[in-house]
Structures are given as C-alpha cells and as structure tokens.
Amino acid sequence: VVIIILGVVLGVSLRPNTDELKQTFTDRCKAFKEYDCEKIWDVFVQAFVGKDPCNVPMEAYNPLIDAAPFKPACNRMMFWSKTKNVVHDFTDKRDCYVTLEDTLLGSVMDGLNWCGKEGSQEIFTTGCPGWTDCEKNPVRSFWNRASAAFADVACGDVSAMLNGSIATPFSPSSIFATIELVRFNSTRVKSLNVVLVTQKTEVTDCTNPSLKDLQKELDQGIKYKCTEVSESRIEACGADPQIPCGGCW
Ligand code: AVW
C-alpha cells in the first residue's frame, strides 16, 4: 500500500499500457479538431475492457461508430485490399481520395493493438490474440465494424485499389470482399472503379477470374470498371501535385 501511494504521489503509472494507448489515441485524435477525443476514448474502451478478448463481436463498437460517425466523401472514397502501403503512400501525399485510415477512427487505430481481460479493468497492448487466433478479437472486430460503417456511407464513384501482383486480387476472405463490397448500395453508389496495381512482373490483369467474382457480388445497377495502373505511375502521381487527381489514371 505504501509503495502504491508513493508511486501515485511520484506520478508513476499503475497502468502503463492503458496510459500509453490512451496517449497515442488522444494525440492522433487531436488532429481532428471537431471531435471530443476524451469522450471517444471512453466509448472505445467500453467496447472491449473487462471482456474475453476472443469474444468481442463487431457490434460492441456500435456506440463508438455513433460517437464518431463517418462522413460520406462522394466520388473520393478509396477502398483497398493487399495494397496497404501503395495506397497510403499515395493518399498521404495527395488529397485525391479518402481511405478508412484517413478518417478519425481509422487513423487513430491504425497499427495499434489492444485487448481487455475478463474480470479486469486493465487494457493490454501485448499478449492480445492475433488476427487469426480467434475471429472475435477486439482488433479484428474493430476493423470489421469500422469498414462496414465506412462502406455504408460510400457514394458516387467509388474506387478500390487491388493488387495485380498476386493470383487473386479479389480475395474472397478479405474485409473488402466480405464486409465492404457487399454493402455498396446502388441507390448511393454509381460506379466501382478497380485500380489494379501492376508491377514490372505483373501476374494479373483486369481479365483475372477473381474480378469476375467481384462483379457477381456487386449490387445490380452499380457500374463496374477496371484500370491497370503501374505502381510507378501511382508513385509518380503521388510525387507530382501538378497532375490533377482525375489524370492520375
Ligand atoms: P488486406 P482487406 N493477420 O490487405 O480487404 C494480421 O487483406 O482485408 O485487405 N493482420 C491481418 C490479416 C492477418 N491474417 N489479414 C488482414 N489483416 C489486417 C478496410 C492487416 O492489418 C479498408 F477500408 C492488413 O494490413 C480496406 O478497404 C489489413 O488487415 C479494407 O478494409 C488489410 O488486409 C482492407 O482490408
């Protein structure tokens, strides 16, 4: 007891994991000025703290999505699968498209790990279940829920950057396939433009069979387009603000 009191007096934290995650969360959140980051943090914590880290359903994050809803960015929304680095290298440099990771919740949680434990109020940032260890882990459920909410507000001409260097650019088990594409609603979404990122050793083009599956899954009435774009072209467009967004590909 004496040590704890001394620790508190000296400002030594009893919950280093909680403090560190909260610090990262609020630092990143503050870049989005119109939001109450303290409140959003409290709502976030409620989703998983005190719970079995393999039994946090995506619905646990409903209050979080309500507290920081996604705003539709018609004609500018960019989805992606297996292209995390190339898409964000581009969106970090040019203000052409908005990915989930450019929004408040997406950018705050990007790259972070977190979980709780039954019977404890503590937050852990290590020793948490991995992505595939159990499906209902707090991190995976967050990305599923956030991706669903982001796709729900998709509107106008929507883009998706897929990887042309792999055999199956439209992976049926991906978040893009299972959560996002199936939510595109033809009353809101006019077209889907697949940007297939190719490299010198391209293995796939727009005739890839998985892209046929994609078209089958797409709500009737949404127009489909596929454009093969080399990774170097995307990088060049990212580096040159003179090229208009619509002229990149
Ligand atoms: P992805 P998605 N182990 O590139 O379509 C650890 O497959 O799924 O694209 N982490 C994983 C694993 C795994 N087995 N699988 C996926 N991830 C994590 C939200 C990892 O962080 C956006 F709106 C990887 O970089 C996109 O349109 C990330 O999930 C869409 O979902 C993406 O996996 C991209 O998801």
Side-chain angles (χ1 to χ4, degrees), residues 34-229:
E34 66 273 36
Y35 293 88
D36 181 347
C37 297
E38 278 286 330
K39 186 192 148 199
I40 296 171
W41 166 260
D42 289 338
V43 177
F44 164 68
V45 166
Q46 291 304 314
F48 65 91
V49 92
K51 294 183 188 171
D52 171 357
C54 277
N55 199 15
V56 175
M58 61 189 268
E59 293 75 26
Y61 291 99
N62 286 352
L64 177 63
I65 302 295
D66 294 341
F70 292 100
K71 299 179 189 125
C74 297
N75 308 319
R76 283 165 33 87
M77 294 176 76
M78 173 66 85
F79 296 82
W80 57 271
S81 197
K82 311 283 187 287
T83 54
K84 194 173 203 279
N85 291 333
V86 56
V87 74
H88 293 129
D89 281 349
F90 181 76
T91 59
D92 286 351
K93 292 186 197 133
R94 296 288 311 266
D95 193 23
C96 297
Y97 297 98
V98 179
T99 67
L100 174 57
E101 294 73 23
D102 300 308
T103 66
L104 171 95
L105 289 179
S107 75
V108 164
M109 304 322 299
D110 198 15
L112 301 183
N113 251 303
W114 64 89
C115 64
K117 192 168 114 181
E118 250 181 322
S120 161
Q121 284 301 104
E122 209 167 331
I123 295 172
F124 301 88
T125 54
T126 57
C128 296
W131 191 266
T132 52
D133 288 340
C134 52
E135 209 159 316
K136 291 185 181 176
N137 69 68
V139 174
R140 188 164 172 168
S141 290
F142 166 79
W143 288 109
N144 284 342
R145 185 64 191 89
S147 301
F150 189 61
D152 280 337
V153 298
C155 50
D157 299 319
V158 164
S159 303
M161 211 175 259
L162 304 185
N163 191 334
S165 303
I166 53 177
T168 313
F170 180 65
S171 164
S173 60
S174 65
I175 292 182
F176 177 63
T178 58
I179 306 264
E180 295 177 327
L181 185 91
V182 291
R183 278 182 170 75
F184 296 161
N185 179 322
S186 64
T187 64
R188 297 173 54 85
V189 176
K190 204 167 91 194
S191 73
L192 173 67
N193 182 21
V194 169
V195 178
L196 192 65
V197 184
T198 59
Q199 289 178 323
K200 272 155 267 159
T201 54
E202 126 186 12
V203 298
T204 309
D205 58 24
C206 283
T207 67
N208 182 274
S210 78
L211 297 175
K212 294 275 175 315
D213 300 335
L214 181 155
Q215 291 171 69
K216 276 182 232 148
E217 299 278 321
L218 199 58
D219 192 5
Q220 294 262 324
I222 299 177
K223 287 203 188 79
Y224 167 83
K225 216 171 70 170
C226 176
T227 316
E228 293 152 15
V229 186

